Amino acid sequence: MSSTAQAIHHEEHHQSFFERWFMSTNHKDIGTLYLLFSFLMLFVGGSFAMLIRAELFEPGMQLMQPYFFNELTSMHGLVMIFGVIMPSFVGLANWMIPMQIGAPDMALPRLNNLSFWILPFAFILLLSTFFMPGGAPAAGWTMYPPLVLQGGESIAFMIFAIHLMGISSILGSINIIATILNLRAPGLDLLKMPMFCWSWLITSFLVIAVMPVLAGAVTMMLFDRFFGTNFFNAGAGGDPVMYQHVFWFFGHPEVYIMILPAFGIISEIVPTFARKPLFGYKAMVYAIACIAFLSFIVWSHHMFTVGLPLGAEVFFMFSTMLIAVPTGVKIFNWVTTMWKGSLSFETPMLWAIGFIVLFSIGGFSGVMMALVPADFQYYGTYFIVAHFHYVLVGGALFSIIGAVYYWLPKWSGHMYSTFWSKLHFWSSVISVNVLFFPQQFLGFAGMPRRIPDYNVAFADWNMVSSIGGFWFGASQLILVGVVVHCVFFSKAKATSRVWEHAYGLEWTLPSPAPHHSFTVPPVIDDSQLAHGDVSH
Amino acid sequence: MSSSNCKRRIVGAGAAFGALLVSMAAAANPVPWQMNLPKGATPVSQQIWNLHMAALWVCVALGVLVFGAMFIAMVRFRRSKGAVAETWSHNTLLEIGWTVVPVLILIGLAAPATLLTREMYNSTDAVMTVKVTGYQWLWRYDYISYDGKPVTKVPTIYSRLAADSNAARQLDSGISPYSIKAPDGTNDYLLDVTHPLVIPAGVKVRFLITADDVIHGWWVPDFAAKRDAIPGIMNDAWAKVDKPGTYLGQCYVLCGQDHSAMPVVVKVLPREEFNAWLTAQQNAATLDKAARTARVEPQQPVPAKG
Amino acid sequence: MSQPDANVYYVPHKSRWPIIAVIGMFLFMAGAANWLNGHDLSGKIVLTLGALTIIGMMFGWFGNVIRESMKGTFNSQVDTSFRMGMMWFIISEIFFFAAFFGGLFYIRTFVVPWLGGIGDKGVITNAYIWQGFSATWPTNGPQAVGGSFIAGSPWGIPLLNTLLLLSSSITVTIAHHALRIGNRKRLIGFLGLTILLGLTFLCCQAYEYWESYVHLNMTLHSGIYGATFYILTGFHGLHVTLGTIMLIVMWLRCLRGHFNRENHFAFEAVSWYWHFVDVIWLCLFLFVYIL
Ligand code: HEA
Ligand code: HEA
Ligand code: CUA
Ligand SMILES: [Cu+2]
């Protein structure tokens, strides 16, 4: 071993708690921090959701003033998107990408630490607004002006928090790109990389392209509120809708930022438990690239009713519907990977299958909404809420939980409880449908979103949905139990391969993985790659 | 909610549920356990409903296909049953197939949708024009023109949440939402207004939609007439309602604390009746104030307590 | 630490700078927000504290990296990582400007014509809300927000600024070339010239702003024209300021002989940044001033 590697190993034995967690340059420690942070935020955003569902349990106002309900809705969306889904994907990237490409760490380890630590502080800024005069932001996670400008002291804090989150994710993505493009072990061509790396490589481009656009949108908002500009005031020649265009130019790619890494994860899990190489590896890569490209030209499907010119409506309808094609390719490829495989249903596989079904359901409703005339009846209703929870909870969140169950033994060196993790799955997959399927009916029946109170005709499905909500929320406590048990109490040692048919470089390392994954570049053996031999 | 409410609902639910799956016909109100879009009352809303059902069935069919194939794989190719994995990972024909077929399906959906969108955007030849303005939190209606003539002397209509709903919706009001009833006995909690918009049946009515403070959304599901009400910008939508009746909708763009409390109510009168009503409004001076539907003193909306 | 070895990866030691950076950013943002909300004193104090922390952090962190680089700790792989980092950072900056340019295009192609009665939507918007307004550019909208104003001519200071920035892009390239062939004198001379050009640009822009505010009544408050004008040119100016500061740092480092022919990534990064600022200016000149 070279002296550099020795220096690295020497270092890890002499570090205080503070040094290890606050000054880290280690991708695993930082990955752990990301995952813990997003887990915490899941509970914060989840409690907001529980309060929302409690108020919506029956018609009439029982628990809170309407304004506070709007604060909850807005903060729930912001926390879940920027505090849960994005950071946990970055956490997974941190843990897995260096291990999957045979690198010791991320390309820019100090920057990596910076990217993470921005987040807790950004969320302190954001969450502190609950305690300010005028309360938290209450104009939805989309923060449309002019409504958002009516907020109190929270506006400046919200905007700066978003700036910080943007900086964090841009720096994180730069790091991921540099790592993937620059630190691959010799011989690991781009087209031999695991799908998870591919999905993150492309996602990083999206992040770098759109987070600054969000920053631009909220900066205009800041100027309108504090510096006397009139971007969003028609009387001055501006337009409130201009904000929406800029926001959704960010917003739509953003939703793919929250699903492409999930595609990567599922493409890792399915071949492992089907014991068969991933079907159509290259098509999978192209499909992700294609989705990423299309995501830039569909943004106005969030604005079909704002009064776009006819030509724009038709263009955005077509471009949006096109996305179903590459996405379909992915779904079909996963199913075909399972076809004539030798399937077993360990916990990660269950979550992956749950993902495929739930994500597809969400995707189907997306295609229905892409039809302009139909969207005129859907826009602003619970049908939209159902759509995005199917793709975000059933899609993104399920894939993250699946990834945790897939790689947790590798991280901790211990196996977790099969029984409890499967119970977690079954309880979640049933309750998530009880929670969100009825919301589609509510949407069809015409119930608007972002309302704390509704006509009694909507009462029944709301009650069902709320019951599903509490059930789904309570189910997530099992996850806490399983993880705590696995990390601190489990006696079952994990082997280095963990899963019988798991291929890819990460499985060549012992479990738990050493502090610095690969101190010297590993030798690539094509037959050991996750998707099998790519030569044919 | 009181327990008697609960029982009543559960008893009613079964019947309503069955009935609803069969027909969702001209019901203007949303109904308990409703599961589908209303067919609505205009030719456009009917066509949208057809498009919606087509898309829905396409999705169901694709779902059955994809999930079905996966399910079969899960049953047949289990390792516990001794399945041995094959090693292939390509099939060009298959891959081309599942790229092309979805494209065709999507074209099949997009083509009628495009035509329908065009129709929805064609608001020429309207017989009547009404201006709709959203405020926090009420709707204001001004008649602009009718039968090719400008409408004058008809007072502006201010349409705000009805008093009984407003009382019931206050936190800890002690009034059950189930007790809020329209004259015909249906529940109109949060869906009733002080003064509805009144329009004639059977003619094309154009709505010019804008707002005064923040963005609102004017929407009557049964008309499939829906457009964002944006301050400083004018949008338009139109509807030709054949069947007289009272049609309900809600503001659909988050507009602040009382976003849930600015319903849209449109009363569609047979043409002669409407003409009579309009004349009566115009002859306001000869009318007793109480007998006039439209006139209300502009006043600030009543916000929720708190 | 040992000499870099091509076959071995390099991972830096633990560092306290990231967490200090974050604390600085947090204080800065929290202070700014408080200040904006009218809590003047506390806002300013916290903001200043944050700014000082950030500045101190930069000295510390960059100093650290410079020392490592001088010691030759980095191998070529690290160098590539740095390059990629800088490149993608600049790309993200481009998208930041794209948001404002996009807004400007949208306003000019759609909104102003609508307000002025052009197009289906324009007809009703103009007739029922903004009667009498006709679409022109520049405009402060139908309500003439901010009062009547005059937009400055592109062919005065803006043209001069264009020439200044263009020539500074050339001088920085000459300096870079000089560095590569090891001509120290020319390097320091032309880099210094670049800095002077940058500073002149900033002075001109400051004068232009002053002129606009005092004589032309063209302010941030001048409707959509003022808003888009100042946000675009303002953020650009901010970037020029930053670029100039970075150039000055590079100049000082050149004086101290930090760079050699092969190893001068920092210099290149700054010159990329400078070119990027230049390109943005050209777009500004075209879309904000001329068209
Ligand atoms: C992870 C996040 C995510 C993902 C992946 C998607 C995916 C898609 N979304 Fe969704 N969407 C959101 C998150 C997401 N969305 C959010 C958060 C909102 C609301 C924001 C807000 O207003 O607050 C939203 C809103 C939203 C709207 C606006 C609705 C409205 O407000 O009126 C529309 C409209 O077109 C839309 C469409 C789509 C489409 C077409 C896809 C497609 O990518 C789906 C493609 C997938 C499939 C189609 C399934 C699998 C395919 C097959 C099995 C092949 C065969 C299928 C066919 C031929 C149909 N989405
Ligand atoms: C990434 C995304 C994400 C995730 C994971 C979720 C998860 C959930 N969401 Fe949310 N949601 C959004 C993104 C997300 N959501 C967005 C973007 C909006 C739009 C906001 C807007 O309109 O601006 C929204 C809006 C939204 C609404 C509409 C609000 C409105 O229009 O007024 C509702 C209502 O039911 C809802 C519910 C839920 C529920 C019940 C969950 C559950 O899945 C949450 C489950 C998790 C937990 C509950 C936490 C863990 C457990 C505990 C805290 C233990 C204690 C609990 C019990 C014992 C019961 N969400
Ligand atoms: Cu008005 Cu919502
Ligand atoms: Cu979208």
Side-chain angles (χ1 to χ4, degrees), chain A residues 81 139-145 210 213-214 217 240-256 258 294-304 306 308 316 379 384 387-388 392 449-450, chain B residues 215 228, chain C residues 99:
Chain A
I81 287 175
W141 82 279
T142 49
M143 307 169 284
Y144 281 6
V210 302
V213 176
L214 173 65
V241 177
M242 190 246 274
Y243 172 85
Q244 301 182 18
H245 281 289
V246 180
F247 180 87
W248 287 114
F249 184 83
F250 143 81
H252 189 83
E254 166 70 13
V255 309
Y256 290 108
M258 294 188 286
L294 286 172
S295 75
F296 284 107
I297 54 165
V298 300
W299 76 89
S300 289
H301 66 215
H302 297 273
M303 307 163 56
F304 280 148
V306 297
L308 299 174
F316 286 109
Y379 178 76
I384 313 301
H387 158 70
F388 65 71
L392 281 170
R449 56 191 283 208
R450 297 165 168 173
Chain B
I215 304 176
D228 290 13

Side-chain angles (χ1 to χ4, degrees), chain C residues 22-34:
Chain C
V22 167
I23 291 169
M25 285 155 104
F26 176 74
L27 292 176
F28 186 85
M29 295 284 194
N34 268 321

Side-chain angles (χ1 to χ4, degrees), chain B residues 120 123 205-209 218 225-227 235-239:
Chain B
M120 292 165 71
S123 52
V205 181
R206 186 187 193 197
F207 306 101
L208 302 176
I209 301 168
W218 194 82
K226 181 180 201 172
R227 217 48 74 108
N235 277 324
D236 72 333
W238 64 272

Side-chain angles (χ1 to χ4, degrees), chain A residues 316-508:
Chain A
F316 286 109
M317 163 161 70
F318 286 4
S319 58
T320 303
M321 294 181 82
L322 259 186
I323 296 194
V325 176
T327 317
V329 166
K330 305 202 71 74
I331 303 273
F332 300 138
N333 282 5
W334 291 321
V335 173
T336 317
T337 303
M338 287 158 71
W339 195 262
K340 301 224 163 155
S342 170
L343 300 171
S344 59
F345 299 94
E346 283 85 345
T347 312
M349 184 63 163
L350 292 179
W351 288 89
I353 291 170
F355 170 95
I356 296 176
V357 174
L358 297 175
F359 172 77
S360 296
I361 294 175
F364 288 141
S365 55
V367 171
M368 292 171 70
M369 293 167 358
L371 295 162
V372 174
D375 190 61
F376 268 75
Q377 296 289 51
Y378 307 147
Y379 178 76
T381 70
Y382 260 78
F383 188 55
I384 313 301
V385 177
H387 158 70
F388 65 71
H389 282 96
Y390 264 96
V391 284
L392 281 170
V393 179
L397 192 61
F398 264 50
S399 79
I400 291 163
I401 297 175
V404 169
Y405 283 131
Y406 188 53
W407 283 310
L408 186 58
K410 172 60 63 188
W411 301 338
S412 69
H414 301 289
M415 296 305 286
Y416 49 80
S417 156
T418 308
F419 171 79
W420 287 101
S421 59
K422 288 194 174 176
L423 182 74
H424 177 213
F425 170 75
W426 286 109
S427 182
S428 297
V429 79
I430 298 170
S431 58
V432 83
N433 284 294
V434 178
L435 168 55
F436 294 120
F437 213 80
Q439 294 188 356
Q440 306 191 336
F441 305 148
L442 286 169
F444 288 154
M447 175 168 161
R449 56 191 283 208
R450 297 165 168 173
I451 56 173
D453 195 6
Y454 47 80
N455 180 261
V456 302
F458 305 128
D460 309 278
W461 286 127
N462 265 304
M463 192 181 284
V464 174
S465 175
S466 287
I467 291 169
F470 303 142
W471 178 7
F472 183 80
S475 311
Q476 303 321 306
L477 296 175
I478 306 177
L479 177 60
V480 187
V482 173
V483 172
V484 169
H485 167 261
C486 174
V487 175
F488 296 107
F489 303 104
S490 171
K491 302 226 161 45
K493 287 261 175 279
T495 59
S496 49
R497 190 159 298 276
V498 182
W499 315 106
E500 191 190 335
H501 189 84
Y503 289 113
L505 288 175
E506 76 259 40
W507 308 107
T508 63

Side-chain angles (χ1 to χ4, degrees), chain A residues 44-293:
Chain A
V44 173
S47 357
F48 298 165
M50 294 299 104
L51 287 171
I52 291 172
R53 282 317 327 165
E55 179 56 63
L56 292 173
F57 188 75
E58 56 182 14
M61 299 302 297
Q62 292 85 23
L63 302 174
M64 57 189 81
Q65 293 294 351
Y67 192 82
F68 184 66
F69 182 91
N70 293 348
E71 294 176 30
L72 286 178
T73 297
S74 314
M75 294 293 272
H76 165 70
L78 288 169
V79 167
M80 286 299 196
I81 287 175
F82 296 107
V84 179
I85 304 294
M86 293 178 70
S88 48
F89 278 139
V90 181
L92 291 169
N94 256 296
W95 255 100
M96 300 320 299
I97 289 177
M99 284 162 71
Q100 289 189 325
I101 61 172
D105 209 295
M106 299 294 280
L108 304 159
R110 283 175 289 218
L111 195 68
N112 200 15
N113 199 31
L114 175 65
S115 310
F116 170 74
W117 277 105
I118 290 175
L119 278 182
F121 288 93
F123 275 87
I124 290 174
L125 282 184
L126 185 65
L127 291 169
S128 68
T129 57
F130 269 114
F131 309 102
M132 283 172 193
W141 82 279
T142 49
M143 307 169 284
Y144 281 6
L147 180 64
V148 72
L149 299 172
Q150 293 180 346
E153 301 212 340
S154 65
I155 300 176
F157 285 89
M158 172 188 78
I159 291 172
F160 289 143
I162 285 175
H163 280 142
L164 286 178
M165 294 170 203
I167 295 171
S168 159
S169 36
I170 291 168
L171 297 182
S173 293
I174 290 176
N175 214 336
I176 289 171
I177 294 188
T179 308
I180 293 178
L181 292 183
N182 195 28
L183 258 55
R184 269 169 297 125
L188 189 67
D189 305 340
L190 277 178
L191 279 170
K192 287 182 184 173
M193 276 199 313
M195 279 306 295
F196 181 64
C197 296
W198 259 113
S199 67
W200 248 115
L201 179 62
I202 293 168
T203 304
S204 306
F205 295 139
L206 288 184
V207 172
I208 288 171
V210 302
M211 292 310 291
V213 176
L214 173 65
V218 294
T219 302
M220 288 191 260
M221 192 195 289
L222 185 80
F223 273 71
D224 264 19
R225 178 67 159 70
F226 294 105
F227 303 116
T229 57
N230 284 278
F231 286 105
F232 309 133
N233 171 8
D239 183 359
V241 177
M242 190 246 274
Y243 172 85
Q244 301 182 18
H245 281 289
V246 180
F247 180 87
W248 287 114
F249 184 83
F250 143 81
H252 189 83
E254 166 70 13
V255 309
Y256 290 108
I257 290 168
M258 294 188 286
I259 205 68
L260 296 186
F263 290 166
I265 290 165
I266 303 305
S267 304
E268 305 281 319
I269 295 177
V270 169
T272 297
F273 299 99
R275 294 173 179 74
K276 189 162 156 282
L278 181 67
F279 185 88
Y281 169 81
K282 280 189 188 153
M284 291 297 239
V285 173
Y286 296 142
I288 295 187
C290 189
I291 294 171
F293 169 75

